[in-house]
Amino acid sequence: MLTTHAPAKVNLTLAVHGRRDDGYHDLTSLVAFAGIGDSVSLDPAGPDGLTITGPFASGLATDGSNLVLRAIEHLNDRRALGKVGHFTLAKRLPVASGIGGGSADAAAALRLVARARGWPVHLPDVMEAARQTGADVPVCLTSKARQITGTGEVLGLPLKLPRLFAVLVNPGVAVSTAAVFAKLGLQPGRSRVPVLQPQMAVGLWRQDGLEEDAGSLISRILRGHGNDLEAAACQIQPVIEETLEALRATGNCRLARMSGSGATCFGLFDDRNQSLAAARSLVKAYPHWWIRATLLH
């Protein structure tokens, strides 16, 4: 039995630059990964297939429409895998929540097959299977902080971010990524007003030798680059704005922002004690929300 972690992906920044002629949106995002996530196991001796357990397993398909099996099918198209084995997904992350749970699960399945076959995870066929599965799957293969561009499938070099003490909060609603992008109202071939590229800012930050300074990252980079999907998602699910206000109201929150297309939001704090205290107060005030203190890296 082989097992791997499938950490939550958090978009620290997300800028939408326009919509391409093929209908996809061009974006730039600074991505980090959390210490919490799903887990995926593979029993190479078991029958091919997928079992899903965990608090968010209900309603999830276990057929070829699931991203885990879809990723393996794309790899099979390129590598003729034959028998693969049985996957078990422990689903601990909320579904359709803007933190890449499905993409992380698919990437984890690809890692497990690569490990079972003795292949490096950066093998071109593995990377191509990840790209075919979804725009977020390639960055989840290694789960390292990076800047991503294009539709999300173009990866920058790994970044050594300072430790970011965070609280992730999902108010219990699912948000359609397609609906959020549609709310932007961009027609194919249309561009948005140019913004300062996060990669330029990150480059300056790293050149200054401030890689270990979380405060500098927050004040000099993150505050100046938001999430262009946040306003649209709040229109679709107003509870997202309530979630952001709840994070800010904890008192020590340095920055509150939505991740991806929502509805999960994150708050950043100066240290572990502050993040844990904030999580406890939020759990008390909103007992039905999904709330986790974690470390982003």
Side-chain angles (χ1 to χ4, degrees), residues 174-218:
V175 179
S176 164
T177 299
V180 173
F181 274 105
K183 200 75 173 176
L184 294 180
L186 287 174
Q187 297 301 312
R190 289 283 303 277
S191 297
R192 301 179 80 244
V193 176
V195 295
L196 175 64
Q197 299 290 322
Q199 67 262 36
M200 295 170 58
V202 169
L204 291 172
W205 166 66
R206 289 173 63 83
Q207 288 172 17
D208 285 349
L210 299 174
E211 289 92 337
E212 301 303 321
D213 190 336
S216 294
L217 175 62
I218 293 170

Coordinates of all heavy atoms in Angstrom, one line a residue, residues 174-218:
A174 N -20.6 25.7 -1.9 CA -19.8 25.4 -3.0 C -20.0 26.5 -4.0 O -21.0 27.1 -4.2 CB -20.2 24.0 -3.6
V175 N -18.9 26.8 -4.8 CA -18.9 27.8 -5.8 C -18.4 27.3 -7.1 O -17.4 26.6 -7.2 CB -18.1 29.0 -5.4 CG1 -18.1 30.1 -6.4 CG2 -18.5 29.6 -4.0
S176 N -19.2 27.5 -8.2 CA -18.8 27.0 -9.5 C -17.8 28.0 -10.1 O -18.0 29.2 -10.2 CB -20.0 27.0 -10.4 OG -19.7 27.0 -11.8
T177 N -16.6 27.4 -10.4 CA -15.5 28.2 -11.0 C -16.0 28.8 -12.3 O -15.7 30.0 -12.6 CB -14.3 27.3 -11.3 OG1 -13.8 26.8 -10.0 CG2 -13.2 28.1 -11.9
A178 N -16.7 28.1 -13.1 CA -17.2 28.6 -14.4 C -18.1 29.8 -14.2 O -18.1 30.8 -14.9 CB -17.9 27.5 -15.2
A179 N -19.0 29.7 -13.1 CA -19.9 30.8 -12.9 C -19.2 32.1 -12.4 O -19.6 33.2 -12.8 CB -20.9 30.4 -11.8
V180 N -18.1 31.9 -11.6 CA -17.4 33.0 -11.2 C -16.7 33.7 -12.3 O -16.7 35.0 -12.5 CB -16.3 32.6 -10.1 CG1 -15.4 33.8 -9.7 CG2 -17.1 32.1 -8.9
F181 N -16.0 32.9 -13.2 CA -15.3 33.5 -14.4 C -16.4 34.2 -15.3 O -16.1 35.3 -15.9 CB -14.5 32.5 -15.1 CG -13.2 32.3 -14.6 CD1 -12.8 31.2 -13.9 CD2 -12.2 33.2 -14.9 CE1 -11.5 31.0 -13.4 CE2 -10.9 33.0 -14.4 CZ -10.6 31.9 -13.7
A182 N -17.5 33.6 -15.4 CA -18.6 34.2 -16.3 C -19.0 35.5 -15.7 O -19.4 36.4 -16.5 CB -19.8 33.2 -16.4
K183 N -19.0 35.7 -14.4 CA -19.4 36.9 -13.8 C -18.5 38.1 -14.2 O -18.9 39.2 -14.1 CB -19.5 36.7 -12.3 CG -20.3 37.7 -11.5 CD -21.8 37.4 -11.7 CE -22.6 38.3 -10.8 NZ -24.1 38.1 -11.0
L184 N -17.3 37.8 -14.5 CA -16.3 38.8 -15.0 C -16.8 39.5 -16.3 O -16.5 40.6 -16.5 CB -14.9 38.2 -15.1 CG -14.2 37.8 -13.9 CD1 -12.8 37.2 -14.3 CD2 -14.1 38.9 -12.9
G185 N -17.6 38.7 -17.1 CA -18.1 39.2 -18.3 C -17.2 39.5 -19.4 O -17.4 40.3 -20.3
L186 N -16.0 38.8 -19.4 CA -15.0 39.0 -20.5 C -15.4 38.2 -21.7 O -15.6 37.0 -21.6 CB -13.6 38.6 -20.0 CG -12.9 39.6 -19.0 CD1 -11.6 38.9 -18.5 CD2 -12.7 40.9 -19.6
Q187 N -15.4 38.8 -22.8 CA -15.7 38.1 -24.1 C -14.3 37.6 -24.6 O -13.3 38.1 -24.3 CB -16.3 39.1 -25.1 CG -17.6 39.6 -24.7 CD -18.6 38.5 -24.5 OE1 -18.8 37.6 -25.4 NE2 -19.4 38.6 -23.4
P188 N -14.4 36.5 -25.4 CA -13.2 35.9 -26.0 C -12.4 37.0 -26.7 O -12.9 37.8 -27.5 CB -13.7 34.8 -26.9 CG -15.0 34.4 -26.3 CD -15.6 35.6 -25.7
G189 N -11.1 37.0 -26.5 CA -10.2 38.0 -27.1 C -10.1 39.3 -26.4 O -9.3 40.2 -26.8
R190 N -10.8 39.4 -25.2 CA -10.7 40.7 -24.5 C -9.7 40.6 -23.4 O -9.4 39.6 -22.7 CB -12.1 40.9 -23.8 CG -13.2 41.3 -24.8 CD -13.1 42.8 -25.2 NE -13.1 43.7 -24.1 CZ -14.2 44.1 -23.5 NH1 -15.4 43.7 -23.9 NH2 -14.1 45.0 -22.5
S191 N -9.0 41.7 -23.2 CA -8.0 41.9 -22.1 C -8.5 42.8 -21.0 O -9.4 43.6 -21.2 CB -6.7 42.4 -22.7 OG -6.1 41.6 -23.6
R192 N -8.0 42.7 -19.8 CA -8.3 43.5 -18.7 C -7.2 44.6 -18.6 O -6.1 44.5 -19.2 CB -8.4 42.7 -17.4 CG -9.5 41.7 -17.5 CD -9.6 40.9 -16.2 NE -10.4 41.6 -15.2 CZ -9.9 42.0 -14.0 NH1 -8.6 41.8 -13.8 NH2 -10.6 42.6 -13.1
V193 N -7.4 45.6 -17.8 CA -6.4 46.6 -17.5 C -5.1 46.0 -17.0 O -5.2 45.2 -16.0 CB -7.0 47.7 -16.5 CG1 -5.9 48.7 -16.2 CG2 -8.2 48.3 -17.1
P194 N -4.0 46.3 -17.6 CA -2.7 45.7 -17.1 C -2.5 46.0 -15.6 O -2.8 47.1 -15.2 CB -1.7 46.3 -18.0 CG -2.4 46.7 -19.2 CD -3.8 47.1 -18.7
V195 N -1.9 45.0 -14.9 CA -1.6 45.2 -13.5 C -0.1 44.8 -13.3 O 0.5 44.2 -14.2 CB -2.4 44.3 -12.6 CG1 -3.9 44.7 -12.7 CG2 -2.3 42.8 -13.0
L196 N 0.4 45.3 -12.2 CA 1.8 44.9 -11.9 C 1.9 43.4 -11.8 O 1.1 42.8 -11.0 CB 2.3 45.6 -10.6 CG 3.7 45.1 -10.1 CD1 4.7 45.6 -11.0 CD2 3.9 45.7 -8.7
Q197 N 2.8 42.8 -12.5 CA 2.9 41.3 -12.5 C 3.4 40.9 -11.2 O 4.5 41.3 -10.7 CB 3.8 40.8 -13.6 CG 3.3 41.2 -15.0 CD 2.0 40.5 -15.4 OE1 1.9 39.3 -15.0 NE2 1.1 41.1 -16.0
P198 N 2.8 39.9 -10.5 CA 3.3 39.4 -9.2 C 4.7 38.9 -9.4 O 5.5 39.0 -8.4 CB 2.3 38.3 -8.9 CG 1.0 38.7 -9.5 CD 1.4 39.4 -10.8
Q199 N 5.1 38.3 -10.5 CA 6.4 37.7 -10.6 C 7.5 38.8 -10.5 O 8.6 38.6 -10.1 CB 6.6 36.9 -11.9 CG 6.6 37.7 -13.2 CD 5.2 37.6 -13.9 OE1 4.2 37.6 -13.2 NE2 5.1 37.6 -15.2
M200 N 7.1 40.0 -11.0 CA 8.1 41.1 -10.9 C 8.3 41.5 -9.5 O 9.4 41.7 -9.0 CB 7.6 42.3 -11.7 CG 7.5 42.1 -13.2 SD 6.6 43.5 -14.1 CE 7.6 44.9 -13.6
A201 N 7.2 41.6 -8.7 CA 7.3 41.9 -7.3 C 8.0 40.9 -6.5 O 8.8 41.2 -5.7 CB 5.8 42.2 -6.8
V202 N 7.7 39.6 -6.8 CA 8.3 38.5 -6.1 C 9.8 38.5 -6.4 O 10.7 38.3 -5.5 CB 7.7 37.1 -6.5 CG1 8.6 36.0 -6.0 CG2 6.3 37.0 -5.9
G203 N 10.2 38.8 -7.6 CA 11.6 38.9 -8.0 C 12.3 40.0 -7.2 O 13.4 39.8 -6.7
L204 N 11.7 41.2 -7.1 CA 12.3 42.2 -6.3 C 12.4 41.9 -4.8 O 13.4 42.1 -4.2 CB 11.4 43.5 -6.4 CG 11.4 44.2 -7.8 CD1 10.4 45.3 -7.8 CD2 12.8 44.7 -8.2
W205 N 11.4 41.2 -4.3 CA 11.4 40.8 -2.9 C 12.5 39.8 -2.6 O 13.3 40.0 -1.7 CB 10.0 40.2 -2.6 CG 9.9 39.4 -1.3 CD1 10.0 39.9 -0.1 CD2 9.7 38.0 -1.2 NE1 9.9 38.9 0.8 CE2 9.7 37.7 0.2 CE3 9.5 37.0 -2.1 CZ2 9.5 36.4 0.6 CZ3 9.4 35.7 -1.7 CH2 9.3 35.4 -0.3
R206 N 12.7 38.9 -3.5 CA 13.8 37.9 -3.3 C 15.2 38.5 -3.5 O 16.1 38.2 -2.8 CB 13.6 36.7 -4.3 CG 12.4 35.8 -4.0 CD 12.2 34.8 -5.1 NE 13.3 33.9 -5.2 CZ 13.4 32.8 -4.4 NH1 12.6 32.5 -3.5 NH2 14.5 32.0 -4.6
Q207 N 15.3 39.4 -4.4 CA 16.6 40.1 -4.6 C 17.0 40.9 -3.4 O 18.2 41.1 -3.1 CB 16.5 41.0 -5.8 CG 16.5 40.3 -7.2 CD 16.2 41.2 -8.3 OE1 16.4 42.4 -8.2 NE2 15.8 40.6 -9.5
D208 N 16.0 41.4 -2.6 CA 16.3 42.1 -1.4 C 16.7 41.3 -0.3 O 17.0 41.7 0.8 CB 15.1 43.0 -1.0 CG 14.9 44.2 -1.9 OD1 15.8 44.5 -2.7 OD2 13.8 44.8 -1.9
G209 N 16.7 39.9 -0.5 CA 17.1 39.0 0.6 C 16.1 38.9 1.7 O 16.5 38.6 2.8
L210 N 14.8 39.1 1.4 CA 13.8 39.0 2.5 C 13.0 37.8 2.5 O 11.9 37.7 3.0 CB 12.9 40.2 2.3 CG 13.6 41.6 2.4 CD1 12.5 42.7 2.1 CD2 14.1 41.9 3.8
E211 N 13.6 36.7 2.0 CA 12.8 35.5 1.8 C 12.3 34.9 3.1 O 11.3 34.3 3.2 CB 13.7 34.3 1.2 CG 14.0 34.6 -0.3 CD 15.3 35.3 -0.5 OE1 15.7 36.0 0.5 OE2 15.9 35.2 -1.5
E212 N 12.9 35.2 4.3 CA 12.5 34.7 5.5 C 11.6 35.6 6.3 O 11.1 35.3 7.4 CB 13.7 34.4 6.4 CG 14.7 33.4 5.8 CD 14.0 32.1 5.4 OE1 13.2 31.6 6.2 OE2 14.4 31.5 4.4
D213 N 11.2 36.8 5.7 CA 10.4 37.8 6.4 C 9.0 37.7 5.9 O 8.6 38.3 4.9 CB 11.1 39.1 6.1 CG 10.5 40.2 7.0 OD1 9.3 40.0 7.5 OD2 11.1 41.3 7.2
A214 N 8.1 37.1 6.7 CA 6.7 37.0 6.4 C 6.0 38.3 6.3 O 5.2 38.6 5.4 CB 6.0 36.1 7.3
G215 N 6.4 39.2 7.2 CA 5.8 40.6 7.3 C 6.1 41.3 6.0 O 5.2 42.0 5.5
S216 N 7.3 41.2 5.4 CA 7.6 41.9 4.2 C 6.8 41.3 3.0 O 6.4 42.0 2.1 CB 9.1 41.8 3.9 OG 9.9 42.5 4.9
L217 N 6.7 40.0 3.0 CA 5.9 39.4 1.9 C 4.5 39.9 2.0 O 3.9 40.2 0.9 CB 5.9 37.8 2.1 CG 5.1 37.1 1.1 CD1 5.5 37.3 -0.3 CD2 5.1 35.6 1.4
I218 N 3.9 40.0 3.2 CA 2.5 40.4 3.3 C 2.4 41.9 2.9 O 1.5 42.2 2.1 CB 2.0 40.2 4.7 CG1 1.9 38.7 5.0 CG2 0.6 40.8 4.9 CD1 1.6 38.3 6.5

